[in-house]
Amino acid sequence: MSSDGALGGPTENSIREKLQVALKPLHCDIINESYMHNVPKGSETHFKIVVVSEKFNQQSLIKRHRMVNELLQAELQTGVHALSIVAKTPEQWEASSKVVTASPACRGGFGK
């Protein structure tokens, strides 16, 4: 299920499963932002991931992003066009008031 309780598509579910198994997150939101872009309805091409894991302790932000990108290599090679990653330690998550900034509106694409 996605963060809003709805069932996710196959790509979203694959992302969620891989993150759950590898990172054992304390918090994990997989947000399909494809609807915000010029893609067909029901697409799974643009995602925002919010993941909080103790495995991120003592890791730089770039290393956290690399961990996530390596886990999702297959998805990134087979259809996921854009991936926004918020990767926090439990302490950072608590200090952030558990708030994630909304993604900006799409500015075009496809020659716009």
Side-chain angles (χ1 to χ4, degrees):
M1 290 192 174
S2 63
S3 58
D4 65 357
L7 292 176
T11 302
E12 180 179 335
N13 291 334
S14 176
I15 291 170
R16 183 177 317 286
E17 182 177 335
K18 288 179 179 183
L19 295 176
Q20 292 288 346
V21 169
L23 300 177
K24 311 254 186 286
L26 303 173
H27 177 85
C28 185
D29 280 335
I30 313 300
I31 306 161
N32 184 346
E33 296 183 329
S34 301
Y35 71 93
M36 297 168 59
H37 301 275
N38 188 10
V39 297
K41 187 174 180 168
S43 292
E44 291 188 288
T45 56
H46 297 70
F47 286 93
K48 176 181 249 178
I49 294 172
V50 181
V51 61
V52 180
S53 174
E54 290 179 355
K55 296 203 179 207
F56 294 147
N57 289 337
Q58 308 302 317
Q59 300 294 322
S60 67
L61 184 58
I62 189 103
K63 285 185 180 180
R64 296 174 200 176
H65 282 227
R66 285 180 180 155
M67 289 169 69
V68 172
N69 279 312
E70 286 173 14
L71 288 169
L72 304 180
Q73 186 175 19
E75 288 78 7
L76 290 166
Q77 291 176 346
T78 59
V80 173
H81 169 74
L83 182 63
S84 172
I85 302 169
V86 178
K88 296 188 181 242
T89 67
E91 289 176 354
Q92 291 171 325
W93 182 243
E94 289 299 324
S96 73
S97 302
K98 302 177 183 176
V99 175
V100 176
T101 306
S103 295
C106 179
R107 299 191 67 172
F110 296 105
K112 291 184 180 179

